[in-house]
Amino acid sequence: MSTNGQEKTPLLEAQGLTKIFPSTVALSNVDFTLHAGDVHALVGENGAGKSTLIKLITGVYPKDGGTILLEGKEIEPRSPRHAQELGISTVYQEVNLIPTMSVAENIFLGRQPMRYGMIDTRATNRQAKQLLKDFGVDIDVTRNLSSFSVAIQQIIAIVRGVDLSAKVLILDEPTSSLDRQEVDMLFSVIRSLKERGIGIILITHFLDQVYEISDRITVLRNGQKVGEHLVTELPRVQLITEMLGKELTQTLDEKGTEASASRAAGKAYLRVQGYAREGMVEPFDLEIREGEIVGLAGLLGSGRTEVAHLIFGIDQHDQGEAYVRGEQTRITSPRKAIQHGFGLCPEDRKVEGIIGDLSVRENIILALQAKMGWFNYLSRQKQNALADDMIKALSIATPNAEKPVKELSGGNQQKVILARWLISNPDFLILDEPTRGIDVGAHAEIIQIIKRLAKEGKAMLIISSELAEVVDYSDRVVIMRDRKKLRELESDDINENTIMQAIAAD
Amino acid sequence: MNSAGKEVSSDQNRRGNLKIGKLFSGDSRLLWTVLALVIILLVDRLISANFFDVRLVNDRLVGSLINILDNSAPYALLAVGMTLVIATKGIDLSVGAVMAICAAVAVVMIRNYEAGATEFYYQPGFVMLITIIIGAICGLWNGILVAFLDLQPIIATLILMVAGRGVAQMITGGQSPTFTNETLAFIGRGVVFGVPFPIYLALAALILVMLLVRRTALGLLIESVGVNDRASYYAGIQARMIKLFVYMLSGVCAAIAGMIVAGEVKSADPHTAGLFTELDAILAVVIGGTALSGGRFYLGLSVMGVLIIQSLLVGLYVSSLHPTTNLVVKAIVVLAVLLLQSPEFRRFITGPFRRTA
């Protein structure tokens, strides 16, 4: 366990691992040590380098620098298969097994016990059953894999991986689609693996679970190792500080001067009560007033985007009710949400936002046109006028409105999506990571636009990982963790410290 | 910049695209497609000296050019429907089978009329209307599978492609029934002002659908769904209804094409009516520049693609080439047309010359 002496040879040791992609350094000189019988959690926000590190260890990518030692001997994994032969198995969130084959066949695929030159089904089943029983899982191994829950499938994948003589087991987001009971089941399997001396690398966004199951934590940020700690010696606040890369300071951050007081007076625009969806977000209440900006803060995977999707009707809530201007409303699709005056700039601009091959003009008028219907076609002059107005108002950098939107930079694409909503004059805008992946100039402009819109009386819900930004524009900040709304911070309490402490609170 | 100024500048852009200098630079699809058609017609003329001759015989124009247009009509109808389906990132493999079903329905019903049935729905006009509705229902079936059950379009429409011929056989009782009713036959072999009636039908379908998609927002919404249906849904577009609509329209087009084919031969053969037509329709759409990956679509160019294929086939018939070579020659020419349209290929071919220039 965590008492493993430093003098013992570590099970897996990576020294100075580096990976350079044409545009970025994905991993820079990272050391990582895993002891036998330890659960070592790897944490960090998007783009921190967690998956790059794993891919180097499992031979998905060739490394550009550093060495990997397994039980003191240097290894050069060439492929995931080769890594597995060396004793490093990986179980991904999406189980890589064959759903239409039986559990036993899946466990022994490619190495079934043979008898008289044929597969010995009975021996396969018997051995599979015993193997699972050892982990406290007693199921009918002749049934198809697909007839079991994701948790069981994951355990089966783990058992297969471990039985292929694994010394190191990598679990990549194993719990992200499991409920509490299933997590417990998985954790008991992990504990029995620990007892067998298997070293486990755990990647997860759920910090509660990190504290529950792991012995050590390594924090990565922007491709660099920020810290390695025994879990017992790392307070939550420090963990979050390291993940987000902010120094906890004692002084209060300066709050945007034009903020709150004057705006908070607006009438309630949207109120949701006990909104929830099983396995996605736990029941939450939320109220947003006209002209108010509510920030939604939390780590990746905390349920921020899920809240936006429930409110906008992309995913259906199965509990709770929503009131728009006091009137109870059922919002079951984006179309309905839009008819009530909502707009959403989604997190994944390319997949969920822009229509890449269509022109800037067409992208801008799209939501308005969809709202107006098929036969109420905006005239070309009207379209040109609207597009040109928006290009000017938001200073979208494009030679003309006819350029395909996919050829614009990220910041300008974001502005086009904002423009799409603005011309349909919404009352309520949800912005999911509006400034992610855009350059500094456009970043500042978008913040300006956000503030201007609130001044015009629009209700806004903004999700962002950039705490400084959230502090700057929010009148109120809602803190999410592990798919739950933890608490709300009001005007004077809003600064980076309080937000981080709230995220980390026990 | 005001919007008037913008329009002038984008008009200039559009005109600029047609300049000879830009021929090798990419976006001149219309020109290359027309050029391909002209070249094929000129080759046809070389093969057969009287290829361009058109004469009036018994008040009907005859000649190879008329044959090309006449043969193209059912394919043009299919291509119009297929273009919109493909624009939504779909495909409709069932149009040939839907033609067979609709031909069977029309012929079996008209035979009842000929046998003296007096119910109003056996009147030729109603028979045609019902046939079109059957086509729409076939499209509705495809649309439900694709849009609401999220089946892959190629699989969803494959089901009706296979089952449809069986349905047609069941309707005709396994026979190839014939009929004599001149009203139904007119759809396939009628002549108006010397020009075969199917040509009017195809032209009307093309113009109507063009008006429908370009004078309303439908065309934009179809392209949007084809490029990115998730983002379109998030923007409030009823992506499912749009998919449903294009498959239904494709079914209606197939129904009319089925009646043309039945009218031509005054019978409905469930085994051969519309056989493999879906493939030529898809090919025509691709020649016309609508990508199978969905998005931008070009109705007029799809029909141009049909004309290219038919000019080629009619040329082959009048040539002295042995008929066994037809399919191979067709494939080679189609490949050549597609290469001619590819900016990459043109750059590859012209690259060495431009460097020396």
Side-chain angles (χ1 to χ4, degrees):
Chain A
M1 299 263 301
S2 51
T3 49
N4 274 316
Q6 297 300 339
E7 65 282 0
K8 261 170 96 181
T9 314
L11 178 60
L12 180 77
E13 199 173 6
Q15 293 164 346
L17 278 189
T18 300
K19 179 71 195 172
I20 299 162
F21 289 118
S23 54
T24 50
V25 178
L27 207 61
S28 165
N29 201 23
V30 168
D31 298 335
F32 181 81
T33 309
L34 176 70
H35 295 282
D38 260 11
V39 175
H40 195 145
L42 204 52
V43 299
E45 289 285 271
N46 253 1
K50 292 170 301 189
S51 50
T52 307
L53 176 59
I54 295 307
K55 283 174 177 164
L56 295 186
I57 292 175
T58 55
V60 176
Y61 299 146
K63 56 184 190 294
D64 294 323
T67 52
I68 303 171
L69 305 171
L70 185 66
E71 294 176 321
K73 285 194 282 285
E74 185 166 354
I75 57 167
E76 289 278 353
R78 292 183 302 269
S79 67
R81 200 194 165 87
H82 183 220
Q84 195 167 57
E85 283 162 14
L86 294 169
I88 304 172
S89 281
T90 313
V91 174
Y92 293 99
Q93 184 185 344
E94 298 86 22
V95 178
N96 280 327
L97 295 177
I98 300 161
T100 53
M101 288 179 119
S102 77
V103 171
E105 284 168 323
N106 266 296
I107 292 179
F108 287 104
L109 194 65
R111 54 191 182 102
Q112 288 102 330
M114 305 293 269
R115 199 171 175 211
Y116 310 129
M118 305 215 285
I119 290 173
D120 186 346
T121 311
R122 243 185 301 162
T124 310
N125 289 342
R126 199 174 53 237
Q127 290 176 25
K129 183 139 188 112
Q130 189 54 49
L131 208 53
L132 283 168
K133 239 186 188 157
D134 292 346
F135 289 100
V137 180
D138 195 5
I139 55 171
D140 179 1
V141 295
T142 60
R143 272 169 59 194
N144 273 357
L145 182 76
S146 58
S147 65
F148 292 100
S149 69
V150 178
I152 296 281
Q153 293 190 28
Q154 218 139 32
I155 289 172
I156 290 163
I158 291 171
V159 168
R160 175 181 163 85
V162 170
D163 197 51
L164 287 166
S165 76
K167 298 162 189 153
V168 175
L169 181 67
I170 300 170
L171 300 175
D172 190 355
E173 292 286 353
T175 59
S176 52
S177 50
L178 307 188
D179 64 29
R180 184 60 234 183
Q181 210 190 336
E182 293 172 322
V183 170
D184 287 340
M185 190 158 67
L186 184 70
F187 279 4
S188 81
V189 169
I190 291 178
R191 288 195 186 96
S192 66
L193 290 173
K194 274 164 61 96
E195 281 162 22
R196 297 179 187 203
I198 291 171
I200 294 163
I201 303 175
L202 175 69
I203 300 175
T204 180
H205 289 303
F206 299 111
L207 296 190
D208 284 348
Q209 294 174 5
V210 169
Y211 278 95
E212 186 179 340
I213 190 83
S214 47
D215 303 299
R216 253 168 228 277
I217 302 179
T218 287
V219 184
L220 295 179
R221 192 177 71 238
N222 296 332
Q224 286 176 338
K225 178 164 158 180
V226 186
E228 181 182 344
H229 311 271
L230 285 174
V231 76
T232 47
E233 293 167 4
L234 180 65
R236 246 172 222 270
V237 176
Q238 193 190 337
L239 172 60
I240 292 182
T241 310
E242 289 188 359
M243 285 173 71
L244 297 179
K246 304 282 181 193
E247 287 303 316
L248 267 183
T249 51
Q250 291 309 307
T251 55
L252 285 181
D253 292 64
E254 234 177 288
K255 176 108 177 75
T257 45
E258 70 217 279
S260 57
S262 59
R263 291 197 235 131
K267 284 190 301 238
Y269 175 75
L270 173 78
R271 188 159 62 87
V272 298
Q273 238 169 21
Y275 239 44
R277 181 179 169 83
E278 182 88 43
M280 213 173 135
V281 190
E282 299 196 15
F284 65 93
D285 299 339
L286 187 64
E287 187 183 85
I288 302 172
R289 292 188 284 271
E290 288 168 3
E292 185 187 38
I293 300 179
V294 175
L296 202 50
L299 299 173
L300 202 78
S302 61
R304 302 173 311 187
T305 296
E306 287 78 359
V307 165
H309 281 198
L310 282 190
I311 292 177
F312 199 62
I314 290 169
D315 292 302
Q316 310 300 311
H317 60 284
D318 51 17
Q319 278 182 56
E321 53 260 3
Y323 302 84
V324 175
R325 294 210 166 97
E327 217 167 292
Q328 186 165 358
T329 316
R330 263 186 72 74
I331 290 164
T332 49
S333 70
R335 192 174 171 77
K336 286 220 176 99
I338 291 163
Q339 280 159 354
H340 280 102
F342 294 15
L344 168 82
C345 296
E347 180 179 21
D348 191 336
R349 216 161 29 231
K350 286 216 162 53
V351 177
E352 302 171 336
I354 60 164
I355 315 287
D357 288 339
L358 296 194
S359 69
V360 172
R361 166 182 55 84
E362 288 166 315
N363 270 278
I364 288 178
I365 64 147
L366 198 62
L368 178 61
Q369 185 63 68
K371 202 173 173 182
M372 291 169 59
W374 297 4
F375 291 100
N376 208 352
Y377 194 30
L378 287 162
S379 75
R380 186 58 187 264
Q381 279 138 313
K382 196 88 194 290
Q383 293 186 22
N384 287 339
L386 284 168
D388 290 341
D389 283 353
M390 275 299 152
I391 288 172
K392 207 161 68 181
L394 304 187
S395 5
I396 298 171
T398 175
N400 59 59
E402 300 308 311
K403 198 175 175 69
V405 74
K406 65 180 174 192
E407 293 171 13
L408 266 51
S409 72
N412 283 302
Q413 289 179 358
Q414 187 67 278
K415 288 182 189 170
V416 167
I417 298 172
L418 265 171
R420 176 189 293 168
W421 294 114
L422 296 187
I423 62 163
S424 62
N425 197 23
D427 300 315
F428 171 46
L429 269 178
I430 305 171
L431 310 181
D432 194 350
E433 293 286 2
T435 57
R436 175 180 292 169
I438 65 183
D439 61 84
V440 184
H443 188 288
E445 281 175 309
I446 284 176
I447 303 283
Q448 284 311 312
I449 295 167
I450 289 171
K451 289 181 177 170
R452 201 172 72 213
L453 292 172
K455 250 187 209 152
E456 289 168 11
K458 299 197 191 308
M460 305 187 83
L461 177 66
I462 304 180
I463 299 170
S464 179
S465 303
E466 304 239 0
L467 291 188
E469 186 185 309
V470 174
V471 170
D472 181 26
Y473 51 60
S474 301
D475 298 307
R476 208 144 39 92
V477 176
V478 172
I479 310 287
M480 302 279 304
R481 192 175 79 203
D482 294 350
R483 300 171 184 151
K484 270 194 292 253
K485 176 178 162 183
L486 278 190
R487 57 179 292 203
E488 283 184 18
L489 298 175
E490 295 282 345
S491 49
D492 290 342
D493 293 335
I494 300 173
N495 59 59
E496 292 187 36
N497 278 357
T498 53
I499 293 177
M500 273 192 285
Q501 262 151 0
I503 292 174
D506 289 304
Chain B
M1 197 188 296
N2 63 29
S3 63
K6 197 99 207 172
E7 265 189 15
V8 171
S9 71
S10 57
D11 270 344
Q12 280 166 345
N13 280 342
R14 247 166 262 140
R15 248 179 277 130
N17 277 345
L18 299 181
K19 276 186 195 149
I20 301 299
K22 292 220 172 178
L23 277 186
F24 295 94
S25 67
D27 201 29
S28 50
R29 211 171 260 121
L30 173 69
L31 211 132
W32 285 102
T33 311
V34 174
L35 194 65
L37 180 60
V38 168
I39 291 173
I40 289 173
L41 287 173
L42 288 177
V43 172
D44 287 343
R45 173 66 179 74
L46 287 178
I47 293 168
S48 157
N50 53 5
F51 195 84
F52 289 165
D53 294 358
V54 174
R55 290 169 294 128
L56 199 61
V57 178
N58 296 335
D59 288 335
R60 185 191 190 277
L61 292 170
V62 292
S64 296
L65 292 181
I66 299 298
N67 287 345
I68 290 171
L69 291 175
D70 196 16
N71 293 354
S72 294
Y75 290 99
L77 277 158
L78 297 182
V80 165
M82 188 72 74
T83 303
L84 297 191
V85 170
I86 287 178
T88 64
K89 208 184 258 181
I91 198 154
D92 189 351
L93 293 182
S94 72
V95 289
V98 173
M99 279 175 73
I101 292 175
C102 291
V105 167
V107 172
V108 167
M109 287 187 79
I110 212 74
R111 276 168 65 92
N112 279 331
Y113 175 73
E114 287 170 351
T118 52
E119 287 90 341
F120 71 93
Y121 47 80
Y122 286 129
Q123 301 291 322
F126 274 101
V127 168
M128 292 174 198
L129 183 66
I130 290 168
T131 304
I132 287 174
I133 291 172
I134 298 284
I137 292 172
C138 291
L140 181 68
W141 162 264
N142 286 330
I144 288 173
L145 293 186
V146 172
F148 289 89
L149 302 181
D150 285 329
L151 285 186
Q152 300 232 15
I154 197 165
I155 299 301
T157 58
L158 188 63
I159 294 169
L160 189 57
M161 177 187 178
V162 175
R165 286 201 182 274
V167 172
Q169 286 169 34
M170 284 161 65
I171 293 170
T172 65
Q175 311 293 311
S176 302
T178 57
F179 67 95
T180 53
N181 179 278
E182 282 306 321
T183 314
L184 183 59
F186 189 83
I187 293 184
R189 53 207 291 175
V191 175
V192 178
F193 301 125
V195 178
F197 185 61
I199 297 174
Y200 292 101
L201 270 180
L203 201 60
L206 174 65
I207 292 170
L208 278 178
V209 173
M210 269 181 151
L211 288 176
L212 178 65
V213 297
R214 295 303 183 197
R215 293 283 157 186
T216 72
L218 199 54
L220 170 67
L221 301 184
I222 287 173
E223 290 181 339
S224 175
V225 168
V227 174
N228 187 340
D229 62 345
R230 185 133 148 236
S232 301
Y233 178 64
Y234 284 18
I237 296 173
Q238 293 165 301
R240 291 183 158 165
M241 296 310 287
I242 284 176
K243 287 184 187 172
L244 203 62
F245 173 81
V246 295
Y247 284 95
M248 286 179 73
L249 185 76
S250 178
V252 168
C253 288
I256 301 172
M259 284 192 284
I260 291 177
V261 170
E264 269 171 2
V265 293
K266 289 192 172 179
S267 101
D269 182 343
H271 299 281
T272 60
L275 191 62
F276 299 140
T277 50
E278 60 278 346
L279 300 180
D280 273 344
I282 293 167
L283 193 57
V285 174
V286 171
I287 290 174
T290 303
L292 290 175
S293 50
R296 296 283 187 210
F297 66 87
Y298 310 93
L299 283 167
L301 290 180
S302 293
V303 172
M304 201 79 83
V306 170
L307 293 176
I308 286 176
I309 296 173
Q310 292 305 322
S311 308
L312 173 61
L313 289 179
V314 172
L316 282 168
Y317 293 139
V318 300
S319 75
S320 50
L321 280 173
H322 195 274
T324 51
T325 60
N326 283 4
L327 291 175
V328 173
V329 174
K330 177 180 164 190
I332 292 170
V333 174
V334 166
L335 180 64
V337 170
L338 291 175
L339 286 177
L340 187 65
Q341 290 176 322
S342 151
E344 286 78 18
F345 182 77
R346 291 202 300 270
R347 258 196 301 279
F348 174 72
I349 291 294
T350 58
F353 302 103
R354 271 185 299 162
R355 238 168 271 142
T356 52

